[in-house]
Amino acid sequence: MKRAPIRAQSLEKQMLARIRSSGRSSVFVPGEFLDLGSRQGVDFALHRLVKQGVLRRLARGVYDYPKSHPKLGMLSPSVDDLAKALAGRDRLRIQPSGAYAANLLHLSEQVPAKAVFLTDGPSRRLKIGTSEIILKRTTPRTMAATGRMSGLVIQGLKHLGQSHVTQHRIAPLQKLLSEKDRQQLKKDMSLAPAWMRPFLQAVAEGKKPA
């Protein structure tokens, strides 16, 4: 078997150190290693690490450092980590929405079979193992609160719908949000539908809806 050039071995060693420091179940895309070497060199090193069984190729340009369970075998990475890796690979912004957003906020105990993320990029669907991720293109206004707790809250309540949002349902949010989150929620309230704003105000102030 031909050995990789010394420079390639050095790059692979540096990448491996970064991968191991991230821990098992971490997800990676080639772009995360371009500060260490060329794209061609990174792709070659990733190919070798997959061949060695260190990494697992999940999809085009998406890899993980798999974690093994004694009974379940190789475990799948989290949906959130997969989505963030996809977003990083394609330079997209993503926002959890629908039943997935509600579940993340403990507004619903339903664990959705498909995780839907809003995005400013193209719509697409990706199935990795037992996980299915759906990216849905939406408007800039909807994406305005992306990356903030307020964006997640707006999407979670939107999924529940006006007739199902009550003081009882929003009580967990009043405990979940930090003071910083509350202040940001006040600023982002204008991005939410009008019916939702009294509930967001109540969450931000820790009071009952007006």
Side-chain angles (χ1 to χ4, degrees):
M1 180 186 294
K2 289 180 66 177
R3 296 185 63 184
I6 293 175
R7 186 177 298 177
Q9 289 178 340
S10 175
L11 173 59
E12 185 179 318
K13 189 175 180 180
Q14 292 179 70
M15 289 172 60
L16 187 56
R18 183 173 294 182
I19 288 164
R20 285 177 171 159
S21 69
S22 297
R24 293 285 179 179
S25 297
S26 298
V27 182
F28 304 92
V29 294
E32 294 178 57
F33 304 103
L34 294 181
D35 61 314
L36 302 177
S38 68
R39 178 58 190 258
Q40 184 178 8
V42 166
D43 284 345
F44 179 72
L46 288 170
H47 175 75
R48 281 178 57 83
L49 290 170
V50 169
K51 202 169 183 180
Q52 293 165 20
V54 175
L55 292 180
R56 174 173 55 177
R57 184 178 183 275
L58 300 172
R60 181 183 64 83
V62 183
Y63 305 82
D64 78 331
Y65 184 34
K67 184 176 184 178
S68 182
H69 186 278
K71 293 184 179 179
L72 302 176
M74 290 292 189
L75 302 177
S76 296
S78 74
V79 166
D80 203 44
D81 285 343
L82 284 169
K84 286 176 181 175
L86 285 173
R89 184 192 71 182
D90 299 330
R91 295 186 176 88
L92 306 175
R93 290 189 303 154
I94 57 171
Q95 170 64 61
S97 72
Y100 184 58
N103 182 257
L104 288 175
L105 292 167
H106 308 296
L107 293 172
S108 167
E109 294 181 1
Q110 176 193 359
V111 179
K114 302 173 184 178
V116 179
F117 291 79
L118 303 178
T119 181
D120 54 358
S123 296
R124 61 176 302 186
R125 186 184 298 256
L126 183 67
K127 189 168 179 62
I128 297 177
T130 58
S131 302
E132 185 168 9
I133 297 172
I134 299 171
L135 301 181
K136 293 177 66 175
R137 184 174 178 83
T138 189
T139 62
R141 177 181 172 82
T142 302
M143 295 298 292
T146 296
R148 301 195 287 270
M149 177 60 81
S150 48
L152 187 61
V153 169
I154 290 170
Q155 292 304 317
L157 295 184
K158 189 178 287 187
H159 171 71
L160 293 182
Q162 185 173 1
S163 60
H164 296 286
V165 177
T166 63
Q167 173 61 24
H168 174 72
R169 298 299 288 273
I170 67 169
L173 295 179
Q174 294 173 326
K175 298 177 182 178
L176 180 65
L177 271 63
S178 67
E179 181 59 30
K180 183 179 178 181
D181 291 332
R182 292 170 187 268
Q183 294 304 316
Q184 187 63 57
L185 185 58
K186 290 179 182 179
K187 296 177 184 177
D188 290 337
M189 231 178 289
S190 61
L191 300 171
W195 67 263
M196 193 186 294
R197 292 172 197 168
F199 294 99
L200 297 180
Q201 187 75 35
V203 171
E205 297 180 354
K207 302 175 181 178
K208 290 185 178 182

